[in-house]
Amino acid sequence: MSTDLGTWPEGVARHVLARVETTMAEASRLAPHLAGPAWILAHEQTAARGRRGRPWRMPPGNFAATLVFHPPGGPAHAALYSFVAALALDEALGYLLGPAARLSIKWPNDVLLNGGKIAGILLESLGIGGQISHLTVGIGVNLAAAPPPADLEPGAMAPVSVAGETGLTITPEELLTPLAAAFDRRARQFETYGFAPIRTAWLARAARLGEKVIARTTTETHEGVFETIDESGAMILRTAHGPRAIAAADVFF
């Protein structure tokens, strides 16, 4: 795909705000009034959270934005936009940081720089009775600083920042345009050709593919070799008891 990510995608709105509770809450509030996709970027969040409702602090200068749009298809199809988002973020960061940046994607949708976590992605759907009216894709990136170690859960991957790893200063607005452009292109590819090309591109960027990992669900811990992801986005582990599909888990290296 083209690497020219410097142009804002046509038909996509952009809202840049100084301070909000969370960009995802703001996206949910705006969703019923939007004519098309919209990105909401905030310079400060007062009640940010990560996966499974975990608190998440945002140091000044870091990136916090949410895309809200109406996805085609049902919940299973919408969930695959997690991989679209991770791939788009990887491409946008690569565009800004250059070919020397050692970027990869940790299943399901964390982006790593030099082996440390630089970004996370959170999807939430809006709707009634199993019908999705809108999907929100929240993205946080450590541009200026990584969160302090005290904020991390035990065993979590050490976070890093763009500034700390590369010495580069990138503003949230400078990241937003290539991210929006990359997401728009990958989403169009997904909607036209299905998940297969997204899956192929994602696997080419996957961290620890072919290596041993530990996947912890809310009730179980599985250890095995990360072989691939299937057509539903599940991680396929080769364990001592045979292949196992993991639909949702925290992964540890």
Side-chain angles (χ1 to χ4, degrees):
M1 300 186 69
S2 171
T3 55
D4 180 14
L5 301 180
T7 302
W8 187 264
E10 187 177 351
V12 179
R14 169 172 41 189
H15 303 267
V16 178
L17 307 172
R19 190 171 187 262
V20 295
E21 184 176 297
T22 71
T23 59
M24 295 194 82
E26 188 67 14
S28 299
R29 187 184 68 79
L30 289 175
H33 311 289
L34 296 173
W39 282 92
I40 295 93
L41 171 75
H43 288 283
E44 182 183 355
Q45 293 189 118
T46 59
R49 66 192 189 282
R51 293 182 65 224
R52 298 180 182 172
R54 294 166 182 150
W56 178 63
R57 278 201 279 175
M58 177 183 162
N62 281 2
F63 180 91
T66 294
L67 171 66
V68 57
F69 65 105
H70 176 67
H77 183 83
L80 294 175
Y81 280 96
S82 167
F83 297 90
V84 174
L87 190 56
L89 180 55
D90 176 275
E91 291 173 349
L93 288 170
Y95 171 81
L96 292 170
L97 301 181
R102 193 160 59 89
L103 292 159
S104 59
I105 305 173
K106 176 176 175 282
W107 185 89
N109 52 22
D110 291 338
V111 176
L112 310 182
L113 174 61
N114 297 336
K117 180 176 174 177
I118 196 170
I121 297 168
L122 181 66
L123 269 66
E124 291 183 352
S125 57
L126 309 175
I128 299 175
Q131 299 298 311
I132 296 178
S133 62
H134 290 85
L135 185 68
T136 59
V137 182
I139 298 177
V141 185
N142 301 329
L143 292 178
D151 286 1
L152 305 179
E153 61 176 317
M157 171 170 285
V160 298
S161 69
V162 167
E165 294 297 308
T166 70
L168 297 174
T169 299
I170 294 174
T171 68
E173 286 92 339
E174 286 172 329
L175 174 57
L176 184 60
T177 293
L179 174 58
F183 189 96
D184 183 69
R185 292 181 187 183
R186 286 296 184 181
R188 291 177 187 274
Q189 182 186 43
F190 178 38
E191 290 155 13
T192 302
Y193 302 105
F195 186 53
I198 298 297
R199 176 177 176 270
T200 298
W202 189 97
L203 285 168
R205 308 295 299 151
R208 302 298 178 95
L209 189 66
E211 299 181 25
K212 282 188 176 181
V213 301
I214 297 170
R216 293 179 185 156
T217 70
T218 53
T219 58
E220 297 179 301
T221 297
H222 304 282
E223 185 172 348
V225 175
F226 176 19
E227 289 200 319
T228 188
I229 59 173
D230 68 12
E231 291 75 14
S232 72
M235 169 184 271
I236 306 301
L237 287 185
R238 187 175 76 245
T239 73
H241 306 288
R244 181 178 288 271
I246 309 292
D250 289 323
V251 173
F252 300 85
F253 296 155

